[in-house]
Amino acid sequence: MEEVRYDFTVKTSRRNLYLAVLIAYLGPVATGFVLGWSSPYLVQLEAPNSEFPVTKSQGAWLASLLPLGTVFGPFVCGWLLDSVGRRQTILLYLLMILAGWGLMSTWSIWLMYLGRLLSGIAYGISIAVTSIYIGEISENSVRAMLNTMFPIFSRTPLLISYTLGPQIPYHGFIFLSCLPVILFLLMYNKMPETPHFLLLKNREDEATEALSCLRQLPEAFISKEINEIRGCFAYLTYQCENGNNSILVQWGVLLSLATYIIVCSCGLSSISMSLIGEYFPSHLKAKGSTVATFFFCGAAFLSTNLFPDAVSSFGLSRTCWFSCGVLLVATLFEIFVVPETSGLSFAEIQDILNK
């Protein structure tokens, strides 16, 4: 009798994952056009021969209502994420952008104000929800790569707005800006909800089905990952039940994150990179900047890539304390080793470094 051989190898594919990520990134593309509108079109609206004359004061409001709305976006997003889900939150903010462009197409200054404010709220939502959605559907091996592509998708429309915007009629640009939203709506049914949210709502069968679709594997082969997502909720529940979810801890995490964002937004994060141009002599600047940038980007990649594994292996608290220890060592190094360069000539800096 001939021996029967079974092939238990299963070939995985990331096609559905990449498709879902691409659909999610249509949101940042849409917000990029929202950001780029003011540069070419405020000039046209404020021109003396404008089809719809806008004063300088009105133009300032049209420009500033967008960042004002962005301030409120994350608060709206926080409520939407846990109530309607990640997938529908993305849908809602893109519909807000579509409504905003509809209001911007009218020749009513007050409706245009409302459109810019609505678009700003949508932009604030997009910043928060996009990374969460992509992070929750991605595999560990590609999560960092997929989650760091936000600037590419959001900044490319800025380039289009600045270069082609002055050549396109006002309403033609609005139509162009609506295309990413329309494409998203056409592809929305190809975008699954995240297994994390479904498990959070105790919809385990749907979570298994969604993960099976994303991994393109039979449900029997994704049980380990489902259990890991579930090795995560149990850990957080344990932390809450043991007093680690106190108001003090919550505010500490929130304030530390807010402080980091404010400091980086003020430009302080670029100081360390600016020292490259001062520490290295002219004949070594090219090589020195290459090496420094390599370590900077490499450290960013490793910290982002290894963070989930570190939390899984050592726990969130130990991982955070280790990070604090690294920051303390870096701070001491800056205080006692790195020389001050403010007000010094290049020759004086080199003399200090050579001592």
Side-chain angles (χ1 to χ4, degrees), residues 33-309:
F33 284 110
V34 170
L35 291 173
W37 172 87
S38 58
S39 180
Y41 291 101
L42 274 183
V43 176
Q44 295 184 19
L45 294 176
E46 293 175 357
N49 59 345
S50 172
E51 185 178 357
F52 178 71
V54 170
T55 66
K56 292 289 184 181
S57 176
Q58 291 172 333
W61 276 104
L62 286 172
S64 59
L65 280 172
L66 182 75
L68 177 63
T70 305
V71 173
F72 299 101
F75 296 97
V76 179
C77 181
W79 173 73
L80 288 174
L81 282 174
D82 288 336
S83 58
V84 303
R86 283 67 162 144
R87 178 175 178 261
Q88 291 193 51
T89 299
I90 296 177
L91 172 64
L92 287 173
Y93 90 72
L94 280 167
L95 290 177
M96 291 171 64
I97 289 178
L98 194 62
W101 283 124
L103 293 170
M104 289 295 294
S105 66
T106 66
W107 291 130
S108 168
I109 191 64
W110 290 105
L111 291 179
M112 293 172 72
Y113 286 163
L114 180 60
R116 290 294 283 175
L117 183 64
L118 193 64
S119 298
I121 296 174
Y123 179 56
I125 295 175
S126 74
I127 296 173
V129 69
T130 305
S131 61
I132 291 176
Y133 178 82
I134 293 175
E136 290 187 354
I137 68 171
S138 300
E139 301 175 32
N140 293 340
S141 58
V142 295
R143 181 183 297 113
M145 176 191 71
L146 296 177
N147 226 346
T148 54
M149 300 175 69
F150 188 98
I152 298 175
F153 286 91
S154 63
R155 297 302 182 244
T156 301
L158 285 177
L159 178 63
I160 297 175
S161 302
Y162 296 156
T163 55
L164 299 181
Q167 317 302 325
I168 303 176
Y170 181 86
H171 288 93
F173 180 82
I174 291 180
F175 174 76
L176 174 65
S177 303
C178 291
L179 290 180
V181 183
I182 297 172
L183 184 60
F184 174 86
L185 295 176
L186 293 175
M187 303 179 69
Y188 179 67
N189 63 337
K190 301 291 186 182
M191 182 183 183
E193 181 56 87
T194 72
H196 292 69
F197 172 76
L198 294 172
L199 286 175
L200 183 66
K201 297 299 182 180
N202 296 318
R203 295 154 61 180
E204 186 165 334
D205 291 340
E206 295 178 53
T208 303
E209 182 181 353
L211 191 60
S212 177
C213 174
L214 288 167
R215 303 294 182 260
Q216 293 184 258
L217 287 172
E219 294 183 3
F221 289 88
I222 51 112
S223 57
K224 179 181 178 182
E225 187 171 356
I226 284 288
N227 288 332
E228 289 176 352
I229 297 173
R230 188 186 297 110
C232 179
F233 289 154
Y235 172 78
L236 293 175
T237 301
Y238 173 81
Q239 295 294 321
C240 294
E241 291 176 350
N242 286 271
N244 292 325
N245 196 35
S246 65
I247 295 297
L248 181 62
V249 173
Q250 293 180 30
W251 277 104
V253 173
L254 179 62
L255 291 176
S256 62
L257 180 61
T259 302
Y260 173 80
I261 294 174
I262 292 172
V263 168
C264 289
S265 300
C266 291
L268 298 183
S269 61
S270 61
I271 293 178
S272 58
M273 298 303 294
S274 68
L275 294 177
I276 295 175
E278 299 186 1
Y279 283 159
F280 294 106
S282 298
H283 66 288
L284 291 178
K285 281 185 179 179
K287 294 180 180 178
S289 63
T290 300
V291 174
T293 306
F294 170 79
F295 279 102
F296 173 78
C297 296
F301 166 76
L302 289 176
S303 61
T304 304
N305 198 320
L306 297 179
F307 181 78
D309 294 330

Side-chain angles (χ1 to χ4, degrees), residues 309-327:
D309 294 330
V311 172
S312 176
S313 301
F314 306 108
L316 182 61
S317 299
R318 291 188 180 92
T319 303
C320 290
W321 279 114
F322 175 78
S323 302
C324 291
V326 173
L327 290 175

